[in-house]
Amino acid sequence: MNATVLMPGLLHIGGGCRERLLETLSQLGLHRPLLVTDPFLAAQGLHEPLLRALGEAQVPCGVFADCVPDPTTDSVGAGLAVCAEGDYDCLVALGGGSAIDTAKAIAVLARHGGEMRDYRVPASVPPGLPVIAVPTTAGTGSEVTRAAVITDSRDGEKMLCMGPGLVPAAALVDYELSLSMPPRLTADTGLDALCHALEAYVSRKANPFTDSLALAALTAIGRYLETAWREPGNCAAREAMMLAATQAGIAFANASVTLIHGMSRPLGAHFHVPHGLGNAMLLAEVTAWSVPAAPGRYADCARALGLAAPAECDERAVERLVSGLRALTVRLEVPGPEAWGIAEADWREALPLMAEQALASGSPANNPRLASAAEIEALYRRLWA
Ligand SMILES: NC(=O)c1ccc[n+]([C@@H]2O[C@H](COP(=O)([O-])OP(=O)(O)OC[C@H]3O[C@@H](n4cnc5c(N)ncnc54)[C@H](O)[C@@H]3O)[C@@H](O)[C@H]2O)c1
Ligand SMILES: [Fe+2]
């Protein structure tokens, strides 16, 4: 093996570890944080204990609470303006992938200027202000990744920005913050984490380090996702899912995602399908199409997820993987594009551009089975059917 691994230098993991924010700031030598969150979480008062603790320690802290789901250059710009008003030396991102990605984008623009467009792939993003990520969903893994996804408000392009500079300086991975997730969000974010682990494991860039994390994540997700969805207050399931999402995040950040994520981003850009739901829609069909190129790797995933018995042959295991993923997404009530409200004419019209954008993202090049634009279009058509 010859691999380079990037992840935050400091990870606190476990119930209640959000209370270690003050200690984390001091470990990193930081003194003036701007807390970044979204209006829903702020209305729930999720950030108040953090602000109280900082206030008691006389650490001045500003707040930007206007993150939007699937952050845009406009919403990042509003946060950047708040950041520029104060003398902040770091950002604390409290929320799902949207709040964390917003903080990452503000951090880069605050230090280096320019526009988010300047930092999209293939540019490599340089380090901005340090970000301390405190995830409230168990899904995106953004708390440990070198990526941020920002939509250009001018033309709707979902821009993938990547680079070592986007890895948070620290993450506080506290499952207690995920207990309030409603079932739909639990399912979508949990299936996002499942895709991260599965895609990292079958990726052409996988290595033994990322494999170990991907398999650990798949094992936990197979065991606990449905429990967390059915029983939101089940602490054991929430704790396992939060850890799995972070492990899957480290795995895909260092092995890459593949065709599922490549095809899912255009669903968000054209039809505002939430990130996790778009992946969930594609999971079973794209897996069925990709399996013949790496049956042994997919069979390992089936066994880790608990869909196939350890002794079952690869051929039988991959059959069980495809049927098991189909059944899982049905049980978790993942709608197809039509049931989600997309008009068939709009879908058909968008397909060629969606296929082109999926390929341009680069992620499909890591898939074990390489897809042409025509094959990606055919997969989108199969998804509708
Ligand atoms: N940077 C990366 O590596 C990476 C990876 C995958 C996805 N993403 C990005 O992450 C974003 C999606 O993030 P997400 O799926 O975590 O959702 P999100 O951050 O968009 O949040 C969705 C909704 O759930 C609410 N919410 C969040 N936590 C909650 C909780 N504990 N209880 C109740 N409600 C809660 C939010 O207020 C929001 O209304 C997308 O923009 C996607 O592109 C980034
Ligand atoms: Fe994702």
Side-chain angles (χ1 to χ4, degrees):
M1 177 174 100
N2 195 333
T4 303
V5 175
L6 273 178
M7 55 191 281
L10 185 56
L11 279 177
H12 290 301
I13 301 175
C17 76
R18 63 191 181 283
E19 288 163 16
R20 302 181 77 171
L21 176 59
L22 206 54
E23 175 191 336
T24 304
L25 288 167
S26 128
Q27 281 167 322
L28 297 172
L30 300 166
H31 308 284
R32 296 177 307 281
L34 172 65
L35 190 137
V36 174
T37 189
D38 72 36
F40 176 77
L41 296 174
Q44 307 297 306
L46 217 66
H47 62 320
E48 277 162 13
L50 298 182
L51 291 182
R52 228 180 353 260
L54 293 173
E56 282 164 12
Q58 300 191 338
V59 174
C61 181
V63 177
F64 172 68
D66 285 325
C67 294
V68 299
D70 295 332
T72 61
T73 47
D74 282 352
S75 67
V76 168
L80 184 63
V82 173
C83 189
E85 281 163 16
D87 182 24
Y88 301 109
D89 65 0
C90 63
L91 294 109
V92 175
L94 175 71
S98 296
I100 299 174
D101 283 7
T102 301
K104 289 179 177 184
I106 295 171
V108 168
L109 294 174
R111 178 161 286 174
H112 300 285
E115 300 184 7
M116 245 10 246
R117 181 159 282 278
D118 307 333
Y119 298 100
R120 72 191 165 147
V121 165
S124 178
V125 182
L129 295 177
V131 172
I132 298 169
V134 190
T136 62
T137 61
T140 71
S142 181
E143 68 277 8
V144 289
T145 73
R146 63 183 91 172
V149 185
I150 306 294
T151 301
D152 194 321
S153 304
R154 281 173 300 195
D155 60 8
E157 181 187 343
K158 254 180 166 254
M159 300 182 291
L160 176 62
C161 305
M162 291 190 56
L166 289 174
V167 181
L172 310 185
V173 183
D174 182 344
Y175 76 88
E176 290 173 8
L177 293 168
S178 71
L179 287 165
S180 54
M181 281 201 289
R184 183 73 270 137
L185 188 62
T186 300
D188 293 349
T189 52
L191 288 166
D192 187 24
L194 194 164
C195 291
H196 294 156
L198 179 94
E199 290 176 78
Y201 191 75
V202 302
S203 167
R204 288 166 182 253
K205 293 185 181 156
N207 62 60
F209 179 84
T210 56
D211 284 353
S212 64
L213 290 167
L215 289 177
L218 287 171
T219 304
I221 293 167
R223 190 154 168 204
Y224 289 109
L225 171 55
E226 285 187 82
T227 309
W229 175 71
R230 241 182 294 109
E231 303 167 27
N234 186 315
C235 288
R238 291 296 198 188
E239 183 168 21
M241 284 304 299
M242 191 57 119
L243 176 61
T246 297
Q247 289 172 316
I250 298 171
F252 92 81
N254 293 286
S256 207
V257 280
T258 59
L259 186 55
I260 297 175
H261 268 70
M263 288 181 64
S264 142
R265 284 186 211 102
L267 293 181
H270 290 261
F271 301 110
H272 302 290
V273 178
H275 175 82
L277 184 59
N279 292 318
M281 285 178 183
L282 290 154
L283 171 61
E285 288 320 311
V286 173
T287 299
W289 185 82
S290 305
V291 149
R297 301 292 282 177
Y298 282 102
D300 290 343
C301 295
R303 296 184 194 106
L305 281 165
L307 295 172
E312 258 172 322
C313 69
D314 287 356
E315 199 181 331
R316 187 79 189 105
V318 293
E319 281 170 21
R320 288 196 190 275
L321 176 66
V322 172
S323 60
L325 291 177
R326 282 202 181 109
L328 175 67
T329 48
V330 169
R331 286 198 302 279
L332 294 179
E333 298 169 5
V334 174
E338 188 174 18
W340 201 74
I342 299 173
E344 188 169 5
D346 296 344
W347 178 261
R348 285 191 186 289
E349 193 189 328
L351 286 192
L353 183 56
M354 280 169 38
E356 196 185 301
Q357 289 170 335
L359 267 183
S361 75
S363 304
N366 304 314
N367 205 52
R369 183 171 174 190
L370 295 178
S372 65
E375 285 167 323
I376 291 178
E377 263 195 63
L379 276 167
Y380 279 131
R381 260 185 250 109
R382 198 175 305 165
L383 190 63
W384 184 275

